[in-house]
Amino acid sequence: MIKINENYNKLQASYLFSDIAKRVTAHTEANPDQSIIRLGIGDVTRALPDACIKALHAAVDEMANDGSFHGYGPEQGYDFLREAIAKGDFQSRGADIEADEIFVSDGAKCDSGNFQEIFATDATVAIPDPVYPVYVDTNVMAGRTGEAKDGRYEGLVYLDATKENGFIPDLPKTPVDLIYLCFPNNPTGATATKAQLKAWIDYARDNKALILFDAAYEAFVQDDSLPRSIYEIEGSKEVAIEFRSFSKTAGFTGTRCAYTVVPKTCMAYTESGEKASVHALWNRRHTTKFNSVSYPVQRAAEAVFSPEGQAQVQELVSYYLKNAKYIREQMESLGYDCMGGENSPYIWIDAKGDSWELFDKLLNNTGVVCTPGAGFGKCGEGYIRISAFNSFENVQEAMSRIKDAL
Ligand SMILES: *Cc1c(COP(=O)(O)O)cnc(C)c1O
């Protein structure tokens, strides 16, 4: 008899996006004349940068001839891309990361979900709340938690991100081994300063813990005093892994390319306390289970680092940030307390009551779809997330409807 992995039965069904879809459908049927403006989902809306399109086309043409065709590439990614990343994203910002510490993949979702596989099942895991749900669910699947009670899994250490701590969680009060952090944050839009990240690095060093740092939104950091990478912080190379993605920065959500940085100096420990290289473990896992990203897509990602690519990506990011600024200003002028929207495409808004109540009010009175914060964890209750991923025209229309209706 084939038995299931019982840990899957602990997973709480996430009704968030299906619930939203149901309410939107009901609203559309009742109000066929009102157009819907979606400021809910975390997907980009603008086309790929021209530099990436040109590189994609050229690479596709190479695949058309026996002489220039590419079959399997290196599992960790082609050197041309790993070198462009090391230079363009790290060395240029004073972070000493080498090309062979970069593992190219088809998504930061998979990487941030898979990375926990190389650690012990009894590792104590700390996860922020509210949070991108992948970190929690993959640890539940792996058997690192008990059952869910009142929306929280037994055995996980939750790091509350609240208005009181400026949405930057405090250090855990009980010892933990694996720590997930995400800045600029999804969903709160909060950014961490170098001093705040330094406190986490010091904690990890003192406790032989490891930080998994999700920097999917780093390109939205425009304030030069804020870190884009955890490797801008001293001491991080021994205790931090960083996830990056071309999804939100260069519009690759449907093209798929991302990467994970695993410094060779990062250590985990065997049962008997001996050091083990995290780089070697991840290399083993990655090369066993993954066959890298298609050649044309890696060429398109490489083009992000060309001078034209850099200018085009900055234009994309600035476009969404202009939307974000506008949303935040308008919501604040209506008396709502906001976080994010400055170095982040997300605005996290105090609903002054129930998340779903404000969601329904916005949908029913204006046709604007946001995301109720309760879907991201217990601490998200009482908030909504508005995303800047849409056209400026739609954002203006949405805000004008909200101003008239609220
Ligand atoms: C969108 C997003 C990612 C990126 O995922 P991909 O699989 O690379 O598209 C990673 N982390 C967070 C927090 C995100 O919001």
Side-chain angles (χ1 to χ4, degrees):
M1 182 175 66
I2 175 68
K3 291 186 187 166
I4 67 159
N5 174 351
E6 289 282 352
N7 294 314
Y8 278 61
N9 276 336
K10 296 177 195 161
L11 289 166
Q12 299 297 289
S14 169
Y15 297 116
L16 180 67
F17 288 101
S18 60
D19 243 22
I20 292 174
K22 258 186 241 155
R23 292 180 197 220
V24 172
T25 308
H27 174 78
T28 317
E29 279 164 8
N31 307 273
D33 299 333
Q34 188 180 52
S35 64
I36 294 287
I37 303 177
R38 290 178 197 278
L39 300 178
I41 44 170
D43 195 358
V44 297
T45 52
R46 293 191 59 202
L48 289 180
D50 190 50
C52 300
I53 291 294
K54 287 199 172 109
L56 258 179
H57 276 295
V60 167
D61 285 341
E62 283 184 63
M63 300 300 262
N65 296 299
D66 294 349
S68 52
F69 162 83
H70 288 263
Y72 288 126
E75 287 105 334
Q76 302 90 338
Y78 283 104
D79 284 344
F80 64 75
L81 179 55
R82 300 172 89 195
E83 274 156 21
I85 291 168
K87 199 159 152 267
D89 278 346
F90 298 100
Q91 292 160 11
S92 65
R93 292 186 65 87
D96 171 28
I97 294 295
E98 302 292 334
D100 63 357
E101 295 175 312
I102 288 157
F103 293 83
V104 174
S105 81
D106 61 359
K109 184 180 190 176
C110 333
D111 287 351
S112 63
N114 290 331
F115 212 85
Q116 47 76 28
E117 273 186 32
I118 62 174
F119 303 114
T121 310
D122 64 359
T124 305
V125 182
I127 302 188
D129 177 0
V131 79
Y132 182 57
V134 174
Y135 319 145
V136 173
D137 287 1
T138 52
N139 276 289
V140 174
M141 291 170 175
R144 275 192 202 92
T145 73
E147 300 292 332
K149 292 218 171 91
D150 300 328
R152 287 192 158 183
Y153 292 95
E154 289 174 334
L156 280 186
V157 174
Y158 287 90
L159 306 168
D160 291 357
T162 61
K163 198 176 276 186
E164 287 66 44
N165 58 30
F167 302 98
I168 310 292
D170 298 328
L171 297 173
K173 291 180 183 63
T174 51
V176 301
D177 307 310
L178 190 63
I179 301 155
Y180 289 80
L181 294 176
C182 172
F183 294 110
N185 190 265
N186 178 11
T188 69
T191 47
T193 63
K194 286 183 182 169
Q196 285 164 332
L197 287 186
K198 180 73 167 62
W200 282 99
I201 297 293
D202 290 345
Y203 175 90
R205 295 178 70 97
D206 292 346
N207 292 277
K208 292 187 172 165
L210 195 79
I211 296 171
L212 302 183
F213 188 76
D214 187 339
Y217 296 94
E218 56 78 29
F220 291 86
V221 174
Q222 304 292 297
D223 178 344
D224 263 339
S225 70
L226 292 171
R228 280 189 168 196
S229 166
I230 199 155
Y231 303 117
E232 292 174 44
I233 318 297
E234 200 197 323
S236 59
K237 274 187 69 183
E238 286 77 37
V239 291
I241 306 302
E242 184 164 297
F243 303 113
R244 291 261 190 130
S245 174
F246 294 95
S247 283
K248 313 300 168 27
T249 56
F252 273 53
T253 53
T255 306
R256 312 304 304 144
C257 197
Y259 64 90
T260 292
V261 187
V262 188
K264 279 176 269 175
T265 39
C266 265
M267 293 296 150
Y269 300 85
T270 64
E271 195 69 47
S272 54
E274 283 157 47
K275 284 183 177 176
S277 158
V278 175
H279 183 278
L281 283 165
W282 184 246
N283 190 55
R284 190 72 174 88
R285 192 269 170 212
H286 195 73
T287 54
T288 301
K289 294 197 179 183
F290 190 62
N291 247 339
S292 203
V293 177
S294 78
Y295 173 75
V297 168
Q298 292 194 58
R299 280 293 184 199
E302 180 195 23
V304 165
F305 299 96
S306 67
E308 312 81 70
Q310 287 290 290
Q312 290 159 9
V313 163
Q314 185 52 52
E315 194 275 323
L316 272 182
V317 165
S318 302
Y319 183 92
Y320 293 128
L321 282 173
K322 179 177 148 197
N323 290 350
K325 182 166 184 269
Y326 187 76
I327 294 166
R328 180 166 175 159
E329 281 169 3
Q330 298 300 307
M331 292 307 289
E332 281 181 336
S333 77
L334 290 169
Y336 286 94
D337 219 358
C338 299
M339 180 70 211
E342 276 165 340
N343 294 282
S344 155
Y346 296 126
I347 302 93
W348 187 242
I349 299 160
D350 185 339
K352 299 191 279 194
D354 183 74
S355 288
W356 281 104
E357 211 173 288
L358 183 56
F359 172 90
D360 284 333
K361 197 166 157 189
L362 289 179
L363 176 63
N364 296 331
N365 298 346
T366 71
V368 174
V369 183
C370 66
T371 312
F376 298 101
K378 215 171 177 170
C379 295
E381 180 49 68
Y383 291 85
I384 59 160
R385 187 191 74 178
I386 293 188
S387 148
F389 294 129
N390 211 314
S391 70
F392 186 58
E393 293 68 33
N394 281 346
V395 165
Q396 275 181 310
E397 170 66 18
M399 289 302 130
S400 126
R401 288 189 203 170
I402 290 175
K403 276 201 130 156
D404 291 342
L406 291 190

